[in-house]
Amino acid sequence: MRSLWNKLVDLVKWKKPDNIPHHVAVIMDGNGRWAISRGFARTEGHRMGVKSLRQLVEAAGEIGIKYLSVYAFSTENWARPQEEVDFLMELLKEAMDEYLPELIENNVRVKVIGRKEGLDQSILDSFHNAETETARNDGLYLNIAFNYGGRAELVDAVSSIVRKVMAGEITPEDIDEDLLSQHLYLQDQPPPDLLIRTGGEYRISNFLLWHIAYTELYVTKIQWPEFGRRELCQAVDAYSRRKRRFGQI
Ligand code: IPE
Ligand code: IPE
Ligand code: MG
Protein backbone atom coordinates (compact mmCIF):
# COMPACT_ATOMS: atom_id res chain seq x y z
CA MET A 1 0.00 0.00 0.00
CA ARG A 2 1.37 3.39 -0.95
CA SER A 3 1.84 5.61 2.01
CA LEU A 4 0.33 9.02 2.32
CA TRP A 5 3.91 10.34 2.13
CA ASN A 6 4.40 8.85 -1.35
CA LYS A 7 1.15 10.34 -2.54
CA LEU A 8 2.16 13.72 -1.21
CA VAL A 9 5.64 13.49 -2.77
CA ASP A 10 4.04 12.77 -6.14
CA LEU A 11 1.63 15.62 -5.65
CA VAL A 12 4.46 17.98 -4.92
CA LYS A 13 6.80 16.64 -7.62
CA TRP A 14 4.36 16.68 -10.51
CA LYS A 15 3.53 20.28 -10.03
CA LYS A 16 5.83 22.67 -11.85
CA PRO A 17 9.32 22.45 -10.30
CA ASP A 18 9.10 26.20 -9.68
CA ASN A 19 6.38 25.44 -7.19
CA ILE A 20 8.83 23.61 -4.95
CA PRO A 21 10.57 26.08 -2.66
CA HIS A 22 14.33 26.08 -3.28
CA HIS A 23 15.07 27.43 0.15
CA VAL A 24 12.98 26.56 3.21
CA ALA A 25 13.59 28.18 6.60
CA VAL A 26 12.15 26.64 9.76
CA ILE A 27 11.54 28.10 13.22
CA MET A 28 11.47 24.85 15.17
CA ASP A 29 9.27 25.98 18.06
CA GLY A 30 7.11 24.24 20.66
CA ASN A 31 9.48 21.65 22.14
CA GLY A 32 8.86 22.77 25.71
CA ARG A 33 5.07 22.93 25.41
CA TRP A 34 5.00 19.55 23.72
CA ALA A 35 6.91 18.01 26.64
CA ILE A 36 5.02 19.78 29.44
CA SER A 37 1.63 18.82 27.99
CA ARG A 38 2.73 15.19 28.22
CA GLY A 39 4.07 15.45 31.74
CA PHE A 40 7.75 15.39 30.68
CA ALA A 41 10.53 17.87 31.40
CA ARG A 42 11.06 20.52 28.69
CA THR A 43 14.40 18.92 27.86
CA GLU A 44 12.57 15.81 26.66
CA GLY A 45 10.90 18.00 24.04
CA HIS A 46 14.29 19.18 22.82
CA ARG A 47 15.50 15.60 22.61
CA MET A 48 12.49 14.67 20.47
CA GLY A 49 13.02 17.83 18.45
CA VAL A 50 16.38 16.54 17.26
CA LYS A 51 14.63 13.48 15.84
CA SER A 52 12.21 15.74 13.95
CA LEU A 53 15.16 17.67 12.55
CA ARG A 54 16.86 14.51 11.38
CA GLN A 55 13.65 13.48 9.58
CA LEU A 56 13.23 16.94 8.09
CA VAL A 57 16.72 16.89 6.58
CA GLU A 58 16.01 13.53 4.98
CA ALA A 59 12.56 14.52 3.72
CA ALA A 60 13.69 17.91 2.40
CA GLY A 61 16.34 16.19 0.27
CA GLU A 62 13.76 13.77 -1.12
CA ILE A 63 11.33 16.52 -2.13
CA GLY A 64 14.09 18.41 -3.93
CA ILE A 65 14.54 21.33 -1.57
CA LYS A 66 18.06 22.68 -2.09
CA TYR A 67 18.59 24.92 0.95
CA LEU A 68 17.25 24.32 4.45
CA SER A 69 17.84 26.86 7.23
CA VAL A 70 16.81 25.84 10.73
CA TYR A 71 16.65 27.97 13.86
CA ALA A 72 18.18 25.95 16.69
CA PHE A 73 19.24 28.57 19.28
CA SER A 74 18.63 32.31 19.24
CA THR A 75 20.73 35.10 20.75
CA GLU A 76 17.75 35.62 23.10
CA ASN A 77 17.63 31.97 24.23
CA TRP A 78 20.60 32.63 26.58
CA ALA A 79 18.03 34.20 28.92
CA ARG A 80 16.54 30.76 29.67
CA PRO A 81 17.42 28.89 32.90
CA GLN A 82 21.08 27.86 32.86
CA GLU A 83 20.23 24.12 32.97
CA GLU A 84 18.15 24.39 29.80
CA VAL A 85 20.85 26.41 28.02
CA ASP A 86 23.51 23.85 29.01
CA PHE A 87 21.26 21.01 27.89
CA LEU A 88 20.66 22.59 24.48
CA MET A 89 24.40 23.18 23.95
CA GLU A 90 25.26 19.60 24.82
CA LEU A 91 22.35 18.18 22.82
CA LEU A 92 23.30 19.97 19.63
CA LYS A 93 26.94 19.04 19.95
CA GLU A 94 26.08 15.38 20.50
CA ALA A 95 23.55 15.35 17.66
CA MET A 96 26.07 16.92 15.31
CA ASP A 97 28.71 14.31 16.16
CA GLU A 98 26.25 11.41 16.03
CA TYR A 99 24.62 12.34 12.71
CA LEU A 100 27.70 13.57 10.90
CA PRO A 101 28.38 10.22 9.15
CA GLU A 102 24.75 10.19 7.98
CA LEU A 103 25.00 13.77 6.71
CA ILE A 104 28.20 12.96 4.83
CA GLU A 105 26.61 9.86 3.34
CA ASN A 106 23.52 11.82 2.25
CA ASN A 107 25.61 14.47 0.49
CA VAL A 108 24.42 17.22 2.88
CA ARG A 109 26.56 20.34 3.22
CA VAL A 110 26.48 21.83 6.70
CA LYS A 111 26.93 25.50 7.55
CA VAL A 112 26.50 26.93 11.03
CA ILE A 113 25.35 30.55 11.16
CA GLY A 114 25.42 32.82 14.20
CA ARG A 115 27.92 34.35 16.57
CA LYS A 116 30.74 32.26 17.96
CA GLU A 117 31.13 34.38 21.11
CA GLY A 118 29.93 32.63 24.25
CA LEU A 119 30.05 29.12 22.76
CA ASP A 120 32.33 26.48 24.30
CA GLN A 121 35.35 25.43 22.29
CA SER A 122 34.05 21.84 22.17
CA ILE A 123 30.86 22.91 20.38
CA LEU A 124 32.82 25.18 18.02
CA ASP A 125 35.09 22.24 17.22
CA SER A 126 32.08 20.05 16.44
CA PHE A 127 30.61 22.70 14.13
CA HIS A 128 33.95 23.26 12.42
CA ASN A 129 34.41 19.53 11.94
CA ALA A 130 30.92 19.14 10.44
CA GLU A 131 31.53 22.05 8.07
CA THR A 132 34.89 20.82 6.86
CA GLU A 133 33.81 17.17 6.56
CA THR A 134 30.81 18.16 4.41
CA ALA A 135 32.40 21.07 2.52
CA ARG A 136 32.63 19.15 -0.75
CA ASN A 137 29.04 17.89 -0.64
CA ASP A 138 26.61 19.46 -3.07
CA GLY A 139 23.24 17.92 -2.20
CA LEU A 140 21.12 19.67 0.39
CA TYR A 141 22.64 22.80 1.95
CA LEU A 142 21.79 22.67 5.64
CA ASN A 143 22.21 25.96 7.50
CA ILE A 144 21.99 25.61 11.27
CA ALA A 145 21.29 28.89 13.04
CA PHE A 146 22.91 28.62 16.45
CA ASN A 147 23.47 31.61 18.71
CA TYR A 148 21.85 33.38 15.79
CA GLY A 149 20.03 36.72 15.82
CA GLY A 150 18.86 38.58 12.73
CA ARG A 151 19.75 41.93 14.28
CA ALA A 152 23.18 40.68 15.38
CA GLU A 153 23.78 39.45 11.82
CA LEU A 154 23.00 42.92 10.43
CA VAL A 155 25.24 44.58 13.02
CA ASP A 156 28.08 42.22 12.09
CA ALA A 157 27.57 42.95 8.38
CA VAL A 158 27.54 46.72 8.93
CA SER A 159 30.68 46.63 11.05
CA SER A 160 32.62 44.59 8.52
CA ILE A 161 31.52 46.95 5.73
CA VAL A 162 32.55 50.00 7.78
CA ARG A 163 35.95 48.42 8.42
CA LYS A 164 36.42 47.94 4.66
CA VAL A 165 35.43 51.53 3.96
CA MET A 166 37.90 52.77 6.60
CA ALA A 167 40.65 50.61 5.12
CA GLY A 168 39.92 52.17 1.73
CA GLU A 169 38.93 48.83 0.17
CA ILE A 170 35.46 50.13 -0.80
CA THR A 171 33.76 53.53 -0.88
CA PRO A 172 30.36 54.42 0.65
CA GLU A 173 29.00 54.57 -2.92
CA ASP A 174 29.74 50.86 -3.32
CA ILE A 175 27.22 50.00 -0.60
CA ASP A 176 24.04 48.55 -2.05
CA GLU A 177 21.73 45.59 -1.33
CA ASP A 178 24.03 43.11 -3.08
CA LEU A 179 27.06 44.24 -1.11
CA LEU A 180 25.17 44.03 2.17
CA SER A 181 23.91 40.52 1.28
CA GLN A 182 27.49 39.45 0.61
CA HIS A 183 28.41 40.38 4.18
CA LEU A 184 25.63 38.32 5.76
CA TYR A 185 26.24 34.77 6.96
CA LEU A 186 24.50 33.10 4.00
CA GLN A 187 26.36 35.23 1.44
CA ASP A 188 25.40 33.98 -2.02
CA GLN A 189 22.60 31.61 -1.02
CA PRO A 190 19.18 32.67 -2.31
CA PRO A 191 16.69 34.01 0.26
CA PRO A 192 14.12 31.60 1.71
CA ASP A 193 11.04 31.03 -0.43
CA LEU A 194 9.10 29.54 2.46
CA LEU A 195 9.36 30.09 6.22
CA ILE A 196 7.67 27.48 8.38
CA ARG A 197 7.00 28.16 12.06
CA THR A 198 5.71 25.34 14.25
CA GLY A 199 4.11 25.88 17.66
CA GLY A 200 1.46 28.30 16.43
CA GLU A 201 3.03 31.70 17.19
CA TYR A 202 2.68 34.38 14.52
CA ARG A 203 6.10 35.97 14.92
CA ILE A 204 9.61 35.94 13.49
CA SER A 205 11.59 35.99 16.79
CA ASN A 206 14.65 37.60 15.18
CA PHE A 207 15.18 34.97 12.46
CA LEU A 208 16.70 35.92 9.07
CA LEU A 209 15.28 39.45 9.19
CA TRP A 210 16.97 40.72 6.02
CA HIS A 211 16.38 37.55 4.00
CA ILE A 212 12.64 37.08 4.53
CA ALA A 213 11.53 40.34 2.91
CA TYR A 214 9.50 38.40 0.31
CA THR A 215 9.34 34.95 1.89
CA GLU A 216 6.01 33.12 2.12
CA LEU A 217 5.04 32.49 5.74
CA TYR A 218 3.46 29.26 6.97
CA VAL A 219 2.48 28.82 10.62
CA THR A 220 1.25 25.50 11.98
CA LYS A 221 -0.06 24.72 15.47
CA ILE A 222 1.82 21.39 15.37
CA GLN A 223 4.65 21.45 17.94
CA TRP A 224 8.15 20.81 16.58
CA PRO A 225 8.56 17.27 18.04
CA GLU A 226 5.46 16.22 16.06
CA PHE A 227 6.47 17.79 12.78
CA GLY A 228 7.20 15.04 10.27
CA ARG A 229 7.19 14.31 6.54
CA ARG A 230 3.46 14.70 6.30
CA GLU A 231 3.55 18.19 7.80
CA LEU A 232 6.44 19.20 5.54
CA CYS A 233 4.45 18.08 2.52
CA GLN A 234 1.43 20.04 3.70
CA ALA A 235 3.56 23.17 4.05
CA VAL A 236 5.16 22.71 0.62
CA ASP A 237 1.78 21.99 -0.91
CA ALA A 238 0.36 25.18 0.64
CA TYR A 239 3.37 27.09 -0.74
CA SER A 240 2.85 25.67 -4.22
CA ARG A 241 -0.61 27.21 -4.29
CA ARG A 242 0.55 30.70 -3.28
CA LYS A 243 0.81 33.48 -5.83
CA ARG A 244 4.00 35.45 -5.26
CA ARG A 245 3.98 38.96 -6.61
CA PHE A 246 7.15 40.64 -5.30
CA GLY A 247 5.42 44.00 -5.34
CA GLN A 248 4.24 43.62 -8.92
CA ILE A 249 0.67 43.03 -10.11
C1 IPE B 1 12.04 25.61 20.46
O1 IPE B 1 11.17 25.13 21.43
C2 IPE B 1 13.47 25.22 20.71
C3 IPE B 1 14.33 26.32 21.12
C4 IPE B 1 13.99 27.58 21.25
C5 IPE B 1 15.70 25.98 21.42
P1 IPE B 1 10.93 25.94 22.76
O2 IPE B 1 11.92 25.52 23.78
O3 IPE B 1 10.86 27.40 22.51
O4 IPE B 1 9.50 25.39 23.19
P2 IPE B 1 8.26 26.26 23.65
O5 IPE B 1 8.04 27.30 22.61
O6 IPE B 1 8.63 26.84 24.98
O7 IPE B 1 7.14 25.29 23.73
C1 IPE C 1 12.49 30.87 18.37
O1 IPE C 1 11.73 30.31 19.37
C2 IPE C 1 13.92 30.39 18.48
C3 IPE C 1 14.14 29.00 18.09
C4 IPE C 1 13.24 28.18 17.63
C5 IPE C 1 15.49 28.55 18.23
P1 IPE C 1 11.53 31.03 20.78
O2 IPE C 1 10.69 30.11 21.60
O3 IPE C 1 12.83 31.41 21.36
O4 IPE C 1 10.74 32.35 20.38
P2 IPE C 1 9.71 33.20 21.23
O5 IPE C 1 10.32 33.42 22.58
O6 IPE C 1 8.44 32.42 21.30
O7 IPE C 1 9.53 34.46 20.43
MG1 MG D 1 9.41 28.68 22.00
Side-chain angles (χ1 to χ4, degrees), residues 3-10 59 62-63 229-230 233:
S3 67
L4 177 64
W5 162 254
N6 285 332
K7 277 189 211 152
L8 287 167
V9 165
D10 286 352
E62 287 171 30
I63 292 183
R229 289 161 179 270
R230 186 173 190 276
C233 266

Side-chain angles (χ1 to χ4, degrees), residues 79-175:
R80 293 185 178 202
Q82 192 60 42
E83 302 80 44
E84 182 166 341
V85 170
D86 291 346
F87 183 89
L88 285 165
M89 296 287 152
E90 192 56 29
L91 182 69
L92 202 86
K93 188 198 136 40
E94 278 173 13
M96 197 73 123
D97 294 343
E98 184 180 345
Y99 297 129
L100 185 57
E102 194 173 299
L103 294 170
I104 295 170
E105 162 119 9
N106 293 338
N107 199 21
V108 175
R109 183 168 172 157
V110 177
K111 187 176 171 76
V112 181
I113 59 170
R115 283 191 173 161
K116 292 192 164 63
E117 290 92 74
L119 300 179
D120 277 358
Q121 194 54 45
S122 65
I123 198 162
L124 292 175
D125 290 345
S126 265
F127 289 164
H128 183 71
N129 186 42
E131 288 180 337
T132 45
E133 291 291 323
T134 62
R136 283 172 305 279
N137 290 351
D138 60 1
L140 179 74
Y141 282 59
L142 172 63
N143 304 309
I144 302 174
F146 198 83
N147 194 18
Y148 174 90
R151 288 179 175 175
E153 179 178 31
L154 285 164
V155 168
D156 290 349
V158 169
S159 78
S160 66
I161 290 170
V162 168
R163 265 184 267 116
K164 285 185 184 172
V165 171
M166 290 178 72
E169 291 168 34
I170 53 172
T171 68
E173 290 68 37
D174 292 327
I175 302 169

